[in-house]
Amino acid sequence: MTSHPAAPLDELLAGGLSNAFHPLVDLDTGRTVGHEALLRGPAGSPWEAPLTLLAAAREVDRLAELDLHSAAASVRAAASHARATDVPVTVFVNVEPSTLTSDPAGVVRALAEAGDDVQVVVEITERALAADPAAVLAGAERLRAAGCAIALDDVGVERESLAFIPVLAPEVVKLDLGLLRSVEDPETVTVAGAVRAYAEASGAEVVAEGIETPEDLTRALVLGATLGQGWLWGRPEQALREAVPAPVRFAARPAVATRSATPFSLATVHHRVRRAPKRLLLPLSTTLETAALEARVPPLLLSCFQHERHFTPGTARRYARLAAHLPFVACLAEQLPHEPVARVRGTHLPPGDALAAEWTVVVLGAHDAVALVAREADVGAEADGDREFDFLVTHDRALVTELARLLVDRIAPS
Protein backbone atom coordinates (compact mmCIF):
# COMPACT_ATOMS: atom_id res chain seq x y z
CA MET A 1 0.00 0.00 0.00
CA THR A 2 1.47 3.35 -1.02
CA SER A 3 1.46 6.39 1.22
CA HIS A 4 1.26 8.89 -1.64
CA PRO A 5 -1.23 9.37 -4.48
CA ALA A 6 -0.14 7.88 -7.78
CA ALA A 7 1.39 10.72 -9.73
CA PRO A 8 0.71 10.97 -13.50
CA LEU A 9 4.45 11.08 -14.16
CA ASP A 10 4.24 10.84 -17.94
CA GLU A 11 1.97 13.87 -18.01
CA LEU A 12 4.10 15.77 -15.49
CA LEU A 13 7.34 15.02 -17.32
CA ALA A 14 5.75 16.15 -20.57
CA GLY A 15 5.16 19.64 -19.25
CA GLY A 16 3.63 19.75 -15.79
CA LEU A 17 6.78 20.53 -13.84
CA SER A 18 8.57 23.78 -13.17
CA ASN A 19 11.45 25.23 -11.17
CA ALA A 20 11.61 28.00 -8.62
CA PHE A 21 14.89 29.75 -7.93
CA HIS A 22 16.00 30.81 -4.47
CA PRO A 23 18.88 33.32 -4.27
CA LEU A 24 22.13 32.72 -2.41
CA VAL A 25 23.35 35.96 -0.89
CA ASP A 26 26.83 37.05 0.16
CA LEU A 27 26.47 37.85 3.86
CA ASP A 28 29.09 40.61 3.78
CA THR A 29 27.81 42.56 0.77
CA GLY A 30 24.15 41.53 0.60
CA ARG A 31 24.54 40.78 -3.09
CA THR A 32 23.02 37.78 -4.80
CA VAL A 33 25.76 35.53 -6.17
CA GLY A 34 23.79 32.47 -7.24
CA HIS A 35 20.47 30.63 -7.11
CA GLU A 36 19.29 27.21 -5.96
CA ALA A 37 16.88 25.50 -8.35
CA LEU A 38 13.88 23.94 -6.59
CA LEU A 39 11.53 21.43 -8.21
CA ARG A 40 7.82 22.28 -8.26
CA GLY A 41 4.80 20.29 -9.35
CA PRO A 42 1.57 21.81 -10.69
CA ALA A 43 0.22 24.49 -8.33
CA GLY A 44 -2.75 23.31 -6.30
CA SER A 45 -2.16 19.64 -7.16
CA PRO A 46 -1.25 16.85 -4.70
CA TRP A 47 2.24 16.87 -6.27
CA GLU A 48 3.01 20.56 -5.92
CA ALA A 49 5.37 19.89 -2.99
CA PRO A 50 8.67 18.44 -4.22
CA LEU A 51 8.99 15.88 -1.42
CA THR A 52 5.57 14.41 -2.25
CA LEU A 53 6.42 14.33 -5.94
CA LEU A 54 9.79 12.67 -5.34
CA ALA A 55 8.24 10.11 -2.98
CA ALA A 56 5.58 9.24 -5.57
CA ALA A 57 8.25 8.74 -8.23
CA ARG A 58 10.33 6.63 -5.85
CA GLU A 59 7.41 4.29 -5.20
CA VAL A 60 7.13 3.44 -8.92
CA ASP A 61 10.90 3.26 -9.43
CA ARG A 62 11.06 6.39 -11.59
CA LEU A 63 12.94 8.68 -9.20
CA ALA A 64 16.08 8.90 -11.35
CA GLU A 65 13.99 9.77 -14.42
CA LEU A 66 12.28 12.59 -12.54
CA ASP A 67 15.56 13.74 -11.00
CA LEU A 68 17.39 13.97 -14.32
CA HIS A 69 14.46 15.72 -15.97
CA SER A 70 14.42 18.32 -13.18
CA ALA A 71 18.20 18.85 -13.31
CA ALA A 72 18.17 19.39 -17.07
CA ALA A 73 15.22 21.78 -16.85
CA SER A 74 16.97 23.77 -14.10
CA VAL A 75 20.13 24.39 -16.08
CA ARG A 76 18.22 25.14 -19.28
CA ALA A 77 16.28 27.86 -17.47
CA ALA A 78 19.51 29.25 -16.05
CA ALA A 79 21.12 29.20 -19.50
CA SER A 80 18.14 31.04 -20.97
CA HIS A 81 18.48 33.74 -18.30
CA ALA A 82 22.22 34.04 -18.94
CA ARG A 83 21.62 34.53 -22.68
CA ALA A 84 18.88 37.09 -22.11
CA THR A 85 20.94 39.19 -19.70
CA ASP A 86 24.38 38.47 -21.17
CA VAL A 87 25.57 37.73 -17.60
CA PRO A 88 26.93 34.34 -16.47
CA VAL A 89 24.84 32.47 -13.90
CA THR A 90 25.66 30.18 -10.97
CA VAL A 91 22.93 27.64 -10.20
CA PHE A 92 22.77 25.03 -7.44
CA VAL A 93 21.04 21.82 -8.56
CA ASN A 94 19.80 19.12 -6.19
CA VAL A 95 20.55 15.53 -7.19
CA GLU A 96 19.17 12.57 -5.27
CA PRO A 97 21.86 10.28 -3.84
CA SER A 98 20.49 7.21 -5.59
CA THR A 99 20.56 8.99 -8.95
CA LEU A 100 24.17 10.06 -8.53
CA THR A 101 25.38 6.61 -7.51
CA SER A 102 23.31 4.61 -10.03
CA ASP A 103 23.64 6.85 -13.09
CA PRO A 104 26.48 9.38 -12.77
CA ALA A 105 26.83 9.53 -16.56
CA GLY A 106 23.15 10.47 -16.83
CA VAL A 107 23.64 13.27 -14.33
CA VAL A 108 26.59 14.62 -16.33
CA ARG A 109 24.54 14.51 -19.55
CA ALA A 110 21.62 16.32 -17.92
CA LEU A 111 23.82 19.07 -16.54
CA ALA A 112 25.70 19.46 -19.81
CA GLU A 113 22.65 21.33 -21.12
CA ALA A 114 23.83 24.27 -19.00
CA GLY A 115 26.30 25.42 -21.64
CA ASP A 116 29.26 27.69 -21.04
CA ASP A 117 27.37 30.56 -19.41
CA VAL A 118 26.09 28.55 -16.43
CA GLN A 119 28.26 27.44 -13.55
CA VAL A 120 26.69 24.41 -11.85
CA VAL A 121 27.02 23.39 -8.20
CA VAL A 122 25.53 19.97 -7.45
CA GLU A 123 23.98 19.54 -4.01
CA ILE A 124 24.39 16.12 -2.39
CA THR A 125 22.61 15.33 0.86
CA GLU A 126 24.71 13.92 3.69
CA ARG A 127 22.50 10.82 3.97
CA ALA A 128 24.16 9.41 0.84
CA LEU A 129 27.64 9.20 2.24
CA ALA A 130 27.55 6.31 4.68
CA ALA A 131 25.38 4.06 2.48
CA ASP A 132 27.79 3.85 -0.44
CA PRO A 133 30.78 6.16 0.09
CA ALA A 134 32.81 4.75 -2.81
CA ALA A 135 30.05 5.42 -5.34
CA VAL A 136 29.38 8.91 -3.96
CA LEU A 137 33.06 9.86 -4.17
CA ALA A 138 33.33 8.45 -7.69
CA GLY A 139 30.21 10.32 -8.76
CA ALA A 140 31.45 13.55 -7.22
CA GLU A 141 34.76 13.35 -9.07
CA ARG A 142 32.98 12.63 -12.33
CA LEU A 143 30.92 15.78 -11.84
CA ARG A 144 34.01 17.82 -10.99
CA ALA A 145 35.70 16.59 -14.15
CA ALA A 146 32.69 17.98 -16.02
CA GLY A 147 33.17 21.35 -14.31
CA CYS A 148 30.57 21.06 -11.54
CA ALA A 149 31.41 21.94 -7.95
CA ILE A 150 29.96 19.92 -5.06
CA ALA A 151 27.84 21.21 -2.19
CA LEU A 152 27.20 18.98 0.84
CA ASP A 153 23.69 19.68 2.10
CA ASP A 154 22.06 19.21 5.53
CA VAL A 155 25.38 19.18 7.40
CA GLY A 156 24.82 18.70 11.10
CA VAL A 157 21.84 16.34 10.93
CA GLU A 158 23.93 13.18 11.17
CA ARG A 159 27.44 12.66 12.52
CA GLU A 160 28.47 10.95 9.28
CA SER A 161 28.30 14.24 7.38
CA LEU A 162 31.00 15.87 9.51
CA ALA A 163 33.22 12.80 9.41
CA PHE A 164 33.06 12.50 5.62
CA ILE A 165 33.67 16.18 4.83
CA PRO A 166 37.48 15.82 4.53
CA VAL A 167 37.10 12.86 2.16
CA LEU A 168 34.39 14.34 -0.07
CA ALA A 169 36.07 17.79 0.09
CA PRO A 170 32.96 19.76 -0.97
CA GLU A 171 33.47 23.22 -2.41
CA VAL A 172 30.35 24.36 -0.51
CA VAL A 173 28.99 23.23 2.87
CA LYS A 174 25.32 23.92 3.58
CA LEU A 175 24.44 23.95 7.26
CA ASP A 176 21.23 22.24 8.30
CA LEU A 177 18.34 24.61 8.93
CA GLY A 178 18.08 23.55 12.57
CA LEU A 179 21.52 24.87 13.44
CA LEU A 180 20.38 28.45 12.90
CA ARG A 181 17.73 27.94 15.59
CA SER A 182 20.15 26.49 18.16
CA VAL A 183 23.23 28.71 18.01
CA GLU A 184 23.62 28.65 21.81
CA ASP A 185 23.58 24.83 21.98
CA PRO A 186 27.10 23.42 22.62
CA GLU A 187 26.49 20.69 20.05
CA THR A 188 25.69 23.31 17.41
CA VAL A 189 28.82 25.24 18.35
CA THR A 190 30.83 22.04 17.91
CA VAL A 191 29.35 21.37 14.46
CA ALA A 192 29.95 24.96 13.39
CA GLY A 193 33.52 24.80 14.65
CA ALA A 194 34.20 21.66 12.64
CA VAL A 195 32.79 23.23 9.48
CA ARG A 196 34.69 26.46 10.11
CA ALA A 197 37.96 24.53 10.47
CA TYR A 198 37.35 22.75 7.17
CA ALA A 199 36.36 25.99 5.40
CA GLU A 200 39.45 27.82 6.62
CA ALA A 201 41.73 25.02 5.45
CA SER A 202 40.05 24.44 2.09
CA GLY A 203 38.55 27.77 1.09
CA ALA A 204 35.06 26.27 0.95
CA GLU A 205 31.96 28.45 1.16
CA VAL A 206 29.55 27.91 4.07
CA VAL A 207 25.82 28.47 3.54
CA ALA A 208 23.27 29.10 6.30
CA GLU A 209 19.69 28.38 5.25
CA GLY A 210 16.47 29.67 6.76
CA ILE A 211 17.53 33.28 7.36
CA GLU A 212 14.28 35.20 7.90
CA THR A 213 15.20 38.13 10.15
CA PRO A 214 18.19 40.40 10.85
CA GLU A 215 18.74 38.39 14.04
CA ASP A 216 18.96 35.22 11.94
CA LEU A 217 21.58 36.95 9.83
CA THR A 218 23.65 37.63 12.93
CA ARG A 219 23.25 34.01 13.99
CA ALA A 220 24.48 32.88 10.58
CA LEU A 221 27.59 35.01 10.96
CA VAL A 222 28.22 33.48 14.38
CA LEU A 223 28.03 30.03 12.78
CA GLY A 224 30.73 31.05 10.31
CA ALA A 225 28.52 31.26 7.22
CA THR A 226 29.72 33.23 4.21
CA LEU A 227 26.49 32.86 2.22
CA GLY A 228 22.84 32.79 3.18
CA GLN A 229 19.43 31.74 1.91
CA GLY A 230 16.07 32.68 3.35
CA TRP A 231 12.97 34.82 3.26
CA LEU A 232 14.92 37.83 4.50
CA TRP A 233 15.81 38.27 0.81
CA GLY A 234 12.53 36.96 -0.58
CA ARG A 235 10.91 33.66 -1.40
CA PRO A 236 11.74 31.35 -4.34
CA GLU A 237 10.50 32.69 -7.68
CA GLN A 238 10.26 31.30 -11.20
CA ALA A 239 12.57 34.00 -12.55
CA LEU A 240 16.22 34.34 -11.59
CA ARG A 241 17.25 37.65 -10.06
CA GLU A 242 20.07 39.91 -11.05
CA ALA A 243 23.24 38.44 -9.59
CA VAL A 244 26.92 39.25 -9.38
CA PRO A 245 28.92 36.42 -11.01
CA ALA A 246 31.42 34.79 -8.64
CA PRO A 247 33.01 32.01 -10.70
CA VAL A 248 36.12 31.65 -8.56
CA ARG A 249 34.10 31.12 -5.38
CA PHE A 250 32.25 28.18 -6.90
CA ALA A 251 34.96 26.65 -9.08
CA ALA A 252 35.23 22.87 -9.07
CA ARG A 253 38.37 21.49 -7.45
CA PRO A 254 38.97 17.95 -8.76
CA ALA A 255 40.89 15.67 -6.42
CA VAL A 256 44.45 14.94 -7.44
CA ALA A 257 44.45 11.43 -8.84
CA THR A 258 46.84 9.03 -7.14
CA ARG A 259 48.45 6.23 -9.07
CA SER A 260 49.27 4.24 -5.96
CA ALA A 261 47.25 1.10 -5.43
CA THR A 262 47.64 0.88 -1.66
CA PRO A 263 48.14 3.16 1.36
CA PHE A 264 51.67 1.84 1.94
CA SER A 265 52.84 2.55 -1.60
CA LEU A 266 51.43 6.07 -1.37
CA ALA A 267 52.67 6.89 2.12
CA THR A 268 56.20 5.67 1.55
CA VAL A 269 56.87 7.85 -1.49
CA HIS A 270 58.05 10.72 0.68
CA HIS A 271 58.19 9.21 4.19
CA ARG A 272 60.83 6.97 5.71
CA VAL A 273 59.78 3.57 6.99
CA ARG A 274 61.00 1.60 10.00
CA ARG A 275 60.67 -2.08 10.89
CA ALA A 276 59.19 -3.57 14.04
CA PRO A 277 57.33 -6.73 15.17
CA LYS A 278 53.57 -6.78 15.41
CA ARG A 279 53.59 -6.97 19.23
CA LEU A 280 55.24 -3.53 19.39
CA LEU A 281 52.97 -2.00 16.76
CA LEU A 282 49.74 -3.14 18.40
CA PRO A 283 49.92 -0.43 21.11
CA LEU A 284 50.24 2.17 18.34
CA SER A 285 47.16 0.81 16.62
CA THR A 286 45.01 0.70 19.75
CA THR A 287 46.16 4.18 20.75
CA LEU A 288 44.89 5.58 17.45
CA GLU A 289 41.57 3.84 18.01
CA THR A 290 41.33 5.28 21.53
CA ALA A 291 42.11 8.76 20.22
CA ALA A 292 39.22 8.40 17.77
CA LEU A 293 36.87 7.56 20.64
CA GLU A 294 37.99 10.59 22.61
CA ALA A 295 37.65 13.11 19.77
CA ARG A 296 35.07 15.85 20.36
CA VAL A 297 33.94 15.61 16.74
CA PRO A 298 33.94 11.84 16.06
CA PRO A 299 36.07 10.90 13.02
CA LEU A 300 36.06 8.08 10.48
CA LEU A 301 37.97 4.92 11.38
CA LEU A 302 39.20 2.79 8.48
CA SER A 303 41.31 -0.32 9.06
CA CYS A 304 42.96 -3.07 7.03
CA PHE A 305 43.57 -6.42 8.75
CA GLN A 306 45.15 -8.44 5.92
CA HIS A 307 43.06 -11.56 6.60
CA GLU A 308 39.87 -12.31 8.53
CA ARG A 309 41.82 -14.48 11.01
CA HIS A 310 43.50 -11.32 12.34
CA PHE A 311 40.10 -9.91 13.23
CA THR A 312 40.22 -11.84 16.50
CA PRO A 313 37.46 -12.04 19.13
CA GLY A 314 39.32 -9.38 21.12
CA THR A 315 39.49 -7.16 18.06
CA ALA A 316 35.81 -7.76 17.40
CA ARG A 317 34.89 -6.60 20.90
CA ARG A 318 37.07 -3.52 20.52
CA TYR A 319 35.57 -2.60 17.16
CA ALA A 320 32.03 -3.18 18.37
CA ARG A 321 32.69 -0.57 21.06
CA LEU A 322 34.25 1.79 18.49
CA ALA A 323 31.34 1.42 16.07
CA ALA A 324 28.86 2.20 18.84
CA HIS A 325 30.42 5.64 19.29
CA LEU A 326 31.92 6.61 15.93
CA PRO A 327 29.91 7.68 12.87
CA PHE A 328 31.56 5.27 10.44
CA VAL A 329 33.88 2.31 11.00
CA ALA A 330 35.05 0.13 8.12
CA CYS A 331 37.41 -2.83 7.94
CA LEU A 332 38.97 -4.54 4.93
CA ALA A 333 40.55 -8.01 4.82
CA GLU A 334 40.52 -11.28 2.94
CA GLN A 335 37.43 -13.36 3.77
CA LEU A 336 36.00 -10.64 6.00
CA PRO A 337 32.17 -10.75 6.11
CA HIS A 338 30.03 -7.75 5.19
CA GLU A 339 29.35 -6.94 8.84
CA PRO A 340 31.98 -8.63 11.03
CA VAL A 341 30.39 -7.03 14.11
CA ALA A 342 27.41 -4.73 14.52
CA ARG A 343 27.72 -1.40 12.65
CA VAL A 344 31.17 -2.21 11.26
CA ARG A 345 31.24 -2.13 7.44
CA GLY A 346 33.26 -5.12 6.25
CA THR A 347 34.84 -5.48 2.82
CA HIS A 348 36.29 -8.71 1.47
CA LEU A 349 39.61 -8.39 -0.35
CA PRO A 350 40.14 -10.93 -3.14
CA PRO A 351 43.10 -13.32 -2.85
CA GLY A 352 46.29 -11.76 -4.14
CA ASP A 353 45.07 -8.19 -3.57
CA ALA A 354 48.08 -6.02 -2.72
CA LEU A 355 46.11 -4.43 0.10
CA ALA A 356 45.92 -7.80 1.84
CA ALA A 357 49.64 -7.56 2.65
CA GLU A 358 49.13 -4.31 4.55
CA TRP A 359 48.03 -3.33 8.03
CA THR A 360 46.54 0.14 8.07
CA VAL A 361 44.62 2.22 10.60
CA VAL A 362 43.34 5.62 9.44
CA VAL A 363 41.62 8.15 11.70
CA LEU A 364 40.27 11.20 9.85
CA GLY A 365 37.84 13.85 11.00
CA ALA A 366 37.30 17.56 11.41
CA HIS A 367 40.18 17.95 13.85
CA ASP A 368 41.91 14.58 13.67
CA ALA A 369 44.22 13.13 11.02
CA VAL A 370 46.57 10.28 11.83
CA ALA A 371 47.43 6.93 10.27
CA LEU A 372 49.50 3.85 10.93
CA VAL A 373 50.57 2.30 7.63
CA ALA A 374 52.47 -0.99 7.57
CA ARG A 375 53.32 -3.82 5.19
CA GLU A 376 54.39 -7.25 6.31
CA ALA A 377 58.03 -8.13 5.69
CA ASP A 378 58.73 -11.64 4.43
CA VAL A 379 60.97 -12.79 7.28
CA GLY A 380 59.28 -16.06 8.22
CA ALA A 381 58.36 -15.40 11.86
CA GLU A 382 56.61 -18.33 13.54
CA ALA A 383 54.66 -16.48 16.25
CA ASP A 384 52.01 -13.97 15.20
CA GLY A 385 53.38 -11.31 17.53
CA ASP A 386 56.84 -11.67 16.03
CA ARG A 387 55.72 -11.00 12.47
CA GLU A 388 57.67 -7.96 11.29
CA PHE A 389 56.27 -5.00 9.42
CA ASP A 390 57.80 -2.05 7.62
CA PHE A 391 55.77 0.86 8.99
CA LEU A 392 55.30 4.57 9.46
CA VAL A 393 52.98 6.81 11.47
CA THR A 394 51.88 10.11 9.94
CA HIS A 395 49.89 13.14 11.07
CA ASP A 396 50.15 14.83 7.68
CA ARG A 397 46.49 15.78 7.05
CA ALA A 398 46.82 15.89 3.26
CA LEU A 399 48.41 12.46 3.20
CA VAL A 400 45.97 10.95 5.70
CA THR A 401 43.10 12.29 3.59
CA GLU A 402 44.51 10.59 0.48
CA LEU A 403 44.96 7.36 2.43
CA ALA A 404 41.34 7.55 3.54
CA ARG A 405 40.18 8.10 -0.04
CA LEU A 406 42.12 5.05 -1.22
CA LEU A 407 40.36 2.92 1.39
CA VAL A 408 36.92 4.46 0.91
CA ASP A 409 37.19 3.65 -2.80
CA ARG A 410 37.34 -0.03 -1.82
CA ILE A 411 34.52 -0.12 0.75
CA ALA A 412 31.51 -2.20 -0.22
CA PRO A 413 28.08 -0.51 -0.12
CA SER A 414 25.67 -1.18 2.71
Side-chain angles (χ1 to χ4, degrees), residues 324-344:
H325 293 88
L326 298 180
F328 189 84
V329 178
C331 298
L332 303 90
E334 283 191 45
Q335 298 185 15
L336 193 68
H338 190 70
E339 190 175 38
V341 292
R343 295 194 60 196
V344 171

Side-chain angles (χ1 to χ4, degrees), residues 4 41 57 66 68 95 103 132 145 194 203 208 214 255 278 294 345 353 355:
H4 302 278
L66 174 63
L68 295 176
V95 173
D103 190 10
D132 194 356
K278 178 180 177 179
E294 295 175 348
R345 184 76 57 83
D353 193 313
L355 191 55

Side-chain angles (χ1 to χ4, degrees), residues 4 24 81 110 177 209 271 286 289 301 327 336 370 376 386 393:
H4 302 278
L24 286 98
H81 178 84
L177 180 67
E209 298 180 291
H271 292 71
T286 55
E289 297 162 3
L301 176 61
L336 193 68
V370 60
E376 186 167 7
D386 291 333
V393 176

Side-chain angles (χ1 to χ4, degrees), residues 9-335:
L9 287 176
D10 290 328
E11 179 181 336
L12 292 173
L13 292 170
L17 302 175
S18 62
N19 288 105
F21 293 90
H22 204 194
L24 286 98
V25 176
D26 182 288
L27 297 186
D28 291 323
T29 65
R31 294 178 175 176
T32 297
V33 295
H35 294 79
E36 178 183 359
L38 304 170
L39 175 65
R40 294 288 186 265
S45 76
W47 312 286
E48 179 178 3
L51 292 180
T52 301
L53 181 58
L54 291 169
R58 185 180 291 110
E59 288 178 351
V60 294
D61 198 26
R62 297 183 68 179
L63 178 59
E65 183 182 359
L66 174 63
D67 209 21
L68 295 176
H69 175 92
S70 175
S74 299
V75 297
R76 281 199 302 269
S80 176
H81 178 84
R83 288 193 298 270
T85 61
D86 199 27
V87 176
V89 170
T90 296
V91 63
F92 283 56
V93 176
N94 292 277
V95 173
E96 284 295 304
S98 58
T99 304
L100 176 65
T101 56
S102 65
D103 190 10
V107 176
V108 171
R109 286 194 300 272
L111 298 178
E113 299 193 34
D116 296 334
D117 294 328
V118 178
Q119 183 178 42
V120 179
V121 181
V122 177
E123 293 197 23
I124 302 172
T125 58
E126 53 78 30
R127 67 180 180 272
L129 291 169
D132 194 356
V136 171
L137 262 61
E141 287 311 310
R142 192 160 186 170
L143 289 171
R144 286 185 173 117
C148 303
I150 302 298
L152 183 60
D153 199 10
D154 299 334
V155 169
V157 176
E158 300 289 346
R159 293 186 301 170
E160 285 90 344
S161 60
L162 289 177
F164 274 104
I165 282 177
V167 180
L168 180 64
E171 287 82 0
V172 180
V173 177
K174 300 191 76 173
L175 301 174
D176 179 66
L177 180 67
L179 298 180
L180 197 66
R181 310 287 177 242
S182 57
V183 172
E184 298 176 7
D185 187 323
E187 187 64 28
T188 294
V189 174
T190 298
V191 171
V195 172
R196 192 193 304 270
Y198 168 73
E200 288 181 355
S202 66
E205 300 285 343
V206 180
V207 181
E209 298 180 291
I211 299 176
E212 300 179 2
T213 66
E215 183 179 356
D216 286 342
L217 175 57
T218 302
R219 290 171 177 267
L221 294 172
V222 170
L223 291 175
T226 56
L227 302 172
Q229 285 182 272
W231 292 352
L232 180 64
W233 300 286
R235 302 199 178 198
E237 300 173 346
Q238 287 197 335
L240 285 80
R241 301 183 182 185
E242 181 181 350
V244 178
V248 175
R249 297 179 71 168
F250 303 112
R253 298 191 297 266
V256 177
T258 58
R259 300 180 182 223
S260 303
T262 69
F264 187 87
S265 59
L266 175 61
T268 55
V269 171
H270 300 295
H271 292 71
R272 180 180 296 179
V273 299
R274 304 296 192 206
R275 182 169 292 186
K278 178 180 177 179
R279 57 186 168 79
L280 295 182
L281 295 179
L282 275 173
L284 285 177
S285 176
T286 55
T287 298
L288 298 191
E289 297 162 3
T290 301
L293 275 179
E294 295 175 348
R296 180 158 177 75
V297 180
L300 303 174
L301 176 61
L302 313 171
S303 299
C304 298
F305 284 93
Q306 298 182 282
H307 193 279
E308 184 270 341
R309 63 176 173 271
H310 300 308
F311 196 82
T312 64
T315 302
R317 289 191 295 272
R318 196 167 73 248
Y319 270 71
R321 184 173 72 256
L322 289 162
H325 293 88
L326 298 180
F328 189 84
V329 178
C331 298
L332 303 90
E334 283 191 45
Q335 298 185 15

